[in-house]
Amino acid sequence: AYLSFIVSCSWVFLWEKGYQETDSVVSSVTTKVKGVTLTNTSTLGARIWDVADYVIPPQEENTVFVMTNVILTLNQSQGRCPELPDDKTECKVKNNCVPGYISTHSNGVQTGECVPYNDSIKTCEIFAWCPVEDDYHIPRPAFLQEAENFTILVKNNIWYPKFNFMKRNILPTINSTYLKNCIYDSQTDPFCPIFRLGKIVEAAGQNFQEMAVEGGVMALQINWDCNLDRAASHCVPKYSFRRLDNKDSAHTVSPGYNFRFAKYYKDRDGTESRTLVKAYGIRFDIIVFGKAGKFDVIPTMINIGSGLALFGVATVLCDIVVLYCMKKKYYYREKKYKYVEDYEL
């Protein structure tokens, strides 16, 4: 019983810090990405890509998306053109096409005409943004291969309202000179808030160039577990990384992460056109969690009372085991109880 009491008290007070009042973290996050890369293709020619091109949208809450691959459909305008060929859009004669028909995968509304898609295939004509996007072939390797060298600055402010304790991940020991030159490394620079994208993916056990082709979702986790009975300088962030979307050979349908958006233009005669962008990339979710504890009389007294109550329960349980379950229960019972005769009888 005494051993049980000592073990339970050690667990509650030393390991679980049962003498402390606790609070959960309240957090805010802002990010800033930096990096420039050059591409040279037959469609676009030589082109520089900077933050305004590949971070979409410029600001999100606790998240930043970096485009790593792209399918561009240039100079689209509204009109009539052949639909992409598949088992529902290919046709031989006009009667194969239904005017006004729209399927879930249509790029536009069928006009009822059957027109040549190329020299060997005919498809149903549609009224749509023409020419339609052809996304059957994803660029390999990724269009922005150099994105692994881009960096992201994560600024995180935390607050424990119960203790009115505030701090941020740019620690007081970090100066502007260090901040301009450091890159996070778990061994040499564990408190640098600037992360190289390739290193984040690598730390999660993934290959950046493979992930960049079809995109994905990464978690940058910041853990603030603080013992506020110690000096505030001991309350520091701990960073970890993991991939959140499913990368499994058994789940190959609709992999990665992508979305579409368009940039619209009007020429001098008022004709509207657009560039359609299908962007593949990596979304970095910054997840902040943590718990702070500080000494308080009330939880201390509650846990002491619980320990004493457990001590009483332990005594009862030990008696039950010894007196009713063990082979020598009769021997123990004789030693525990002493039977005396009633004097008056």
Side-chain angles (χ1 to χ4, degrees):
Y2 287 107
L3 180 61
S4 170
F5 178 71
I6 292 172
V7 169
S8 64
C9 286
S10 299
W11 172 266
V12 170
F13 284 96
L14 298 181
W15 183 258
E16 294 293 331
K17 293 183 175 61
Y19 56 87
Q20 290 184 332
E21 180 74 17
T22 60
D23 194 13
S24 297
V25 69
V26 177
S27 166
S28 70
V29 173
T30 57
T31 61
K32 183 182 291 184
V33 179
K34 288 189 176 182
V36 176
T37 187
L38 170 69
T39 61
N40 195 349
T41 63
S42 58
T43 304
L44 298 175
R47 178 170 176 172
I48 287 289
W49 296 77
D50 62 15
V51 175
D53 296 310
Y54 59 74
V55 176
I56 310 158
Q59 283 294 323
E60 289 187 89
E61 186 177 353
N62 297 347
T63 297
V64 59
F65 173 83
V66 177
M67 185 176 71
T68 56
N69 207 2
V70 65
I71 295 175
L72 294 173
T73 308
L74 303 175
N75 300 320
Q76 284 187 320
S77 59
Q78 296 212 2
R80 297 169 179 260
C81 54
E83 177 65 284
L84 289 177
D86 62 27
D87 56 345
K88 293 183 178 180
T89 62
E90 290 185 20
C91 59
K92 300 290 186 183
V93 295
K94 179 177 178 179
N95 291 340
N96 297 141
C97 303
V98 181
Y101 175 75
I102 305 173
S103 75
T104 54
H105 299 290
S106 294
N107 287 294
V109 181
Q110 288 190 13
T111 64
E113 299 293 327
C114 182
V115 297
Y117 179 78
N118 55 32
D119 293 339
S120 58
I121 299 174
K122 285 186 174 183
T123 62
C124 293
E125 184 185 63
I126 56 173
F127 181 73
W129 284 96
C130 299
V132 296
E133 177 191 68
D134 183 359
D135 62 347
Y136 286 155
H137 303 288
I138 304 172
R140 295 177 187 272
F143 193 66
L144 300 180
Q145 300 178 60
E146 293 301 315
E148 67 176 328
N149 295 317
F150 297 166
T151 60
I152 175 173
L153 166 65
V154 177
K155 294 191 283 187
N156 175 215
N157 292 271
I158 60 116
W159 176 41
Y160 286 107
K162 190 176 289 186
F163 309 120
N164 196 28
F165 179 84
M166 292 176 287
K167 200 164 187 178
R168 64 176 187 157
N169 66 327
I170 302 177
L171 302 178
T173 55
I174 295 177
N175 57 39
S176 58
T177 302
Y178 174 79
L179 195 61
K180 288 179 180 179
N181 297 284
C182 75
I183 297 292
Y184 172 84
D185 185 279
S186 59
Q187 301 299 321
T188 59
D189 293 275
F191 302 121
C192 177
I194 299 176
F195 304 85
R196 183 171 168 265
L197 303 190
K199 288 292 185 181
I200 293 176
V201 176
E202 181 184 325
Q206 304 293 315
N207 182 288
F208 185 91
Q209 293 302 331
E210 290 180 3
M211 192 175 183
V213 173
E214 294 182 306
V217 183
M218 290 292 306
L220 193 162
Q221 301 173 127
I222 309 177
N223 184 13
W224 290 90
D225 278 343
C226 299
N227 182 357
L228 299 184
D229 289 328
R230 305 176 68 187
S233 59
H234 289 92
C235 181
V236 293
K238 293 181 180 178
Y239 301 100
S240 59
F241 316 94
R242 63 172 297 173
R243 184 169 183 173
L244 296 180
D245 64 315
N246 196 345
K247 181 65 172 69
D248 188 347
S249 58
H251 298 82
T252 57
V253 178
S254 188
Y257 181 62
N258 65 79
F259 57 89
R260 291 176 176 85
F261 65 97
K263 297 181 179 180
Y264 294 87
Y265 312 92
K266 271 190 177 181
D267 58 21
R268 290 182 178 179
D269 61 4
T271 302
E272 187 178 31
S273 62
R274 74 178 190 181
T275 296
L276 179 63
V277 181
K278 184 175 183 181
Y280 297 83
I282 303 175
R283 192 183 78 192
F284 295 90
D285 291 343
I286 294 89
I287 302 172
V288 183
F289 58 97
K291 183 176 71 173
K294 193 173 185 179
F295 174 78
D296 192 90
V297 173
I298 294 176
T300 302
M301 298 306 296
I302 290 173
N303 283 297
I304 289 175
S306 299
L308 293 173
L310 181 61
F311 178 62
V313 172
T315 304
V316 174
L317 291 176
C318 288
D319 278 351
I320 292 173
V321 172
V322 169
L323 297 176
Y324 297 99
C325 301
M326 298 185 68
K327 290 182 179 180
K328 296 184 178 182
K329 56 186 176 182
Y330 298 108
Y331 173 77
Y332 291 120
R333 188 175 297 171
E334 288 178 359
K335 295 298 181 181
K336 181 174 180 64
Y337 300 109
K338 182 176 181 181
Y339 296 94
V340 296
E341 295 181 359
D342 192 311
Y343 179 76
E344 293 182 357
L345 291 175

